[in-house]
DNA sequence: TCCGTTATTATACAGTTGTACAACAAGCAG
DNA sequence: CTGCTTGTTGTACAACTGTATAATAACGGA
């Protein structure tokens, strides 16, 4: 008698975890937070529902892992764009902007993941910690670039505050653009962000240098 | 025999709807999107679950109505702050900023409602329409003020783009501040926003005037 | 005082949720 | 080829979900 087809294939825990994470990302994109259950994820990954509980504490844990995973991918995409650009701070900043407003960063599916994650931040201290780290890392890269530009051009600025403002603006533009791309265009967002850099270089935001931290 | 205590009190439909909306807001704040069900809202409003279905199509419809309601309240809070300020455009803009970063606008509970609503935008065209209107109204007020300032100071600027950028920055600061108030402070947000206005008045964002819409 | 309207309740139903558990079997070590 | 580890399955369970339904009763108008 011929050897029967294996009814399932065993995976290393980390491999299986990654597959479940990717299935979760697809579920969030396709069905939203409400439609993303243990069973939905298991179906998408073509495994039994019980397996999810075996690798993760629950659906919330899975969403956090998904955020962590795609967060890393986003950071990589931004990092690669910067590596491909000239090494001066202004070019780096502009490369960062360009990468922020095109796939895979500008992506409706990504927003669905972000929204789910944000809704967990309030109740779970562990989630809050992950958010803090991701957000702070992200902002620190911009802070360093802004400080570089100010140093090269020999003007004073509170790079910390400036980076907070710039980050907030990028986030706000990204959010609204993902929510509804018909209100304004990707090109609008690019012009606005680049204009902010123009203004920074021209010595704008002088008020942010009055009380350095 | 004494008249028995009425087992329930009848309300006019719009009164009951408002009570259910307020109960929904409390549920979203307390339990998040996942914990806000028809039954949870009914329990919070101390009515039977069936009543929710009698006044609203479902939980999504209720969340949209809640967004509409609190959205109006936020707009009122901002409007009142501006009415209390001097009538010149700069003062109006600064009053708008101050009101944006204190209760009832800066409020964790408000963010919970916003997050739930945003997660509905993608799938429901009706929700998308409401979002578009609220967001556009909000931004138009700022656009008018920015255009006023530019006109008074006799410099050119694309007020539409500038308002988009300013709105995005305010939204981004508001979002992060509600998510986790320990990363930066309300005062930081205020300084950043006011610095943006300082810069605008000083003739910043000249790049935004190059290709007026 | 009675009557009609309809807001409200209470209940039933089918479907879905998260979680637990015992049985199973794939793949590796010997 | 054998045995062990453990990734994986399938199922059972109680709690919950949205929705529909008929019965109830509050309240205003006659």
């Amino acid at each position: 008698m011929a050897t029967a087809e294996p009814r399932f294939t065993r995976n290393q825990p980390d491999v299986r975890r990654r597959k479940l994470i990717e299935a979760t990302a697809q579920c969030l994109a396709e069905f939203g937070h409400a439609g993303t259950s243990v069973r939905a994820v298991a179906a998408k990954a073509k495994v039994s529902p019980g397996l999810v509980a075996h690798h993760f504490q629950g659906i919330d844990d899975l969403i956090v892992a998904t955020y962590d995973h795609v967060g890393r991918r986003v950071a990589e995409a931004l990092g690669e764009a910067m590596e491909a650009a000239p090494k001066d701070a202004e070019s780096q900043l502009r490369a960062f902007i360009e990468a922020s407003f095109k796939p895979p960063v500008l992506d409706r599916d990504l927003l669905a993941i972000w929204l789910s994650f944000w809704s967990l931040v309030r109740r779970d201290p562990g989630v809050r910690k992950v958010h803090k780290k991701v957000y702070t890392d992200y902002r620190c890269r911009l802070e360093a670039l802004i400080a570089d530009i100010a140093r090269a051009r020999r003007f004073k600025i509170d790079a910390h505050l400036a980076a907070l403002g710039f980050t907030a603006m990028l986030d706000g533009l990204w959010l609204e653009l993902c929510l509804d791309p018909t209100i304004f265009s990707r090109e609008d967002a690019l012009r606005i962000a680049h204009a902010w850099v123009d203004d920074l270089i021209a010595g704008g935001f002088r008020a942010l240098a009055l009380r350095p931290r």
Side-chain angles (χ1 to χ4, degrees), chain A:
Chain A
M1 182 176 161
T3 309
E5 182 83 357
R7 297 207 299 167
F8 58 88
T9 53
R10 288 167 85 97
N11 281 185
Q12 292 295 329
D14 55 330
V15 173
R16 180 65 73 192
R17 282 175 63 94
R18 195 166 43 76
K19 288 181 181 174
L20 288 172
I21 283 171
E22 278 157 13
T24 305
Q26 287 176 37
C27 280
L28 285 174
E30 196 166 339
F31 315 119
H33 192 160
T36 301
S37 63
V38 171
R39 281 175 162 82
V41 170
K44 181 71 79 180
K46 287 178 183 147
V47 295
S48 113
L51 190 60
V52 175
H54 188 255
H55 287 286
F56 295 91
Q57 282 195 336
I59 193 65
D60 286 359
D61 186 28
L62 196 37
I63 289 177
V64 173
T66 303
Y67 175 83
D68 193 64
H69 183 251
V70 298
R72 244 177 263 274
R73 255 195 17 203
V74 166
E76 278 172 26
L78 294 171
E80 284 169 18
M82 289 165 75
E83 280 195 35
K87 293 294 169 257
D88 64 292
E90 181 188 341
S91 300
Q92 293 277 302
L93 209 48
R94 298 201 186 270
F96 191 97
I97 290 172
E98 293 288 330
S100 294
F101 293 110
K102 72 180 175 194
V105 180
L106 186 70
D107 177 5
R108 296 162 67 77
D109 296 351
L110 208 57
L111 176 63
I113 297 169
W114 246 248
L115 286 177
S116 288
F117 180 79
W118 283 340
S119 70
L120 295 177
V121 167
R122 178 164 183 180
R123 248 174 307 285
D124 189 329
V127 173
R128 195 151 52 245
K129 201 173 162 189
V130 172
H131 166 255
K132 195 169 199 158
K133 174 166 175 34
V134 169
Y135 180 76
T136 304
D137 285 356
Y138 164 67
R139 191 172 33 69
C140 278
R141 292 163 76 175
L142 294 176
E143 184 175 330
L145 291 177
I146 291 171
D148 251 31
I149 289 178
R151 204 176 309 119
R153 308 242 164 195
R154 307 199 184 288
F155 62 83
K156 286 201 183 305
I157 192 169
D158 186 331
H160 181 73
L161 284 188
L164 277 172
F166 185 59
T167 304
M169 193 181 70
L170 290 185
D171 285 355
L173 290 171
W174 174 82
L175 172 67
E176 287 297 338
L177 213 42
C178 287
L179 271 177
D180 187 348
T182 70
I183 296 180
F184 59 92
S185 69
R186 201 182 78 87
E187 286 72 24
D188 287 337
L190 285 173
R191 287 197 67 207
I192 293 165
H194 282 303
W196 191 94
V197 177
D198 293 341
D199 204 57
L200 174 72
I201 289 172
F205 306 113
R206 283 179 292 274
L208 287 181
L210 293 181
R211 180 160 48 106
R213 292 164 63 96

